[in-house]
Amino acid sequence: MEMLNLDQAGDFLASMTITQTIDAGHAIVHIGTDEAGQRVVLMNDCNGDTCVSASL
């Protein structure tokens, strides 16, 4: 899992293919694939903290 700042999160979201978005109330979770085709999960919480987790 990697923490991202807002600029990095925006760039990552722009390059992602999002297949599902979940509004969990306190966080927004985007599930999809990155440019390399790896499955990724990007989470942004109500405090503005963002992290991304990618499959290997």
Side-chain angles (χ1 to χ4, degrees):
M1 192 174 308
E2 179 181 346
M3 297 299 293
L4 304 175
N5 64 37
L6 287 177
D7 288 334
Q8 291 170 316
D11 291 342
F12 199 89
L13 279 169
S15 67
M16 250 180 98
T17 300
I18 298 170
T19 57
Q20 183 178 12
T21 297
I22 301 167
D23 182 349
H26 66 285
I28 303 293
V29 181
H30 299 287
I31 301 167
T33 55
D34 64 10
E35 290 177 323
Q38 291 181 311
R39 296 213 11 103
V40 295
V41 176
L42 185 136
M43 298 160 277
N44 184 266
D45 70 12
C46 61
N47 299 314
D49 297 321
T50 302
C51 64
V52 65
S53 180
S55 64
L56 297 175

